[in-house]
Amino acid sequence: MLTLGTIVMGAADVRRAADFWSRALGYVPRDSQVDDDWTVLVPADGSGPGLALGRSVTPVQERPRVHVDLYAADAAEQTTEVARLVSLGARHVDWDSYPEDPDFVVLADPEGNRFCVIDASHG
């Protein structure tokens, strides 16, 4: 049986992306350092998938085919986490495909990579 090991994202500035995602997720560099071209971040407690960041010159897709979903326990936590992530450098994305009663908020990291914060209690 396969398991999800690492999610790989491109970044023009690997150090900036690593700083954001480390603070956003509480992850640490797997090799105790962040290089300019490649780094792998892992959960500080050792459980869960890693996040690899590789230097890329490819432009960010406006509607990416793959993105990361982050789960919040409920709407209050979602609101708190969105505010925290924005304070770390994320930004809100104008998303024209929100359903009438969305359980998610679309953000972009400082590199422009899209991700969602999901209210897991929404159903």
Side-chain angles (χ1 to χ4, degrees):
M1 175 101 194
L2 296 173
T3 60
L4 181 61
T6 305
I7 299 157
V8 181
M9 296 172 84
D13 184 335
V14 171
R15 290 181 185 278
R16 177 175 71 169
D19 180 60
F20 172 80
W21 286 107
S22 292
R23 293 187 299 145
L25 300 174
Y27 276 33
V28 296
R30 181 180 64 192
D31 300 325
S32 301
Q33 66 181 21
V34 175
D35 293 325
D36 290 335
D37 293 324
W38 178 260
T39 196
V40 179
L41 303 174
V42 295
D45 68 4
S47 73
L51 178 64
L53 301 162
R55 189 171 180 292
S56 175
V57 296
T58 305
V60 173
Q61 293 177 314
E62 185 175 330
R63 293 196 172 271
R65 293 180 64 159
V66 177
H67 67 272
V68 176
D69 283 347
L70 306 177
Y71 285 28
D74 55 34
E77 183 176 285
Q78 179 189 43
T79 299
T80 299
E81 285 299 321
V82 166
R84 183 180 72 84
L85 292 165
V86 168
S87 77
L88 294 176
R91 64 176 174 78
H92 287 272
V93 173
D94 289 330
W95 197 254
D96 62 1
S97 297
Y98 278 115
E100 195 167 308
D101 186 24
D103 63 349
F104 64 96
V105 175
V106 181
L107 299 176
D109 72 6
E111 291 289 311
N113 295 308
R114 305 313 201 262
F115 65 98
C116 294
V117 181
I118 311 283
D119 168 4
S121 73
H122 195 268

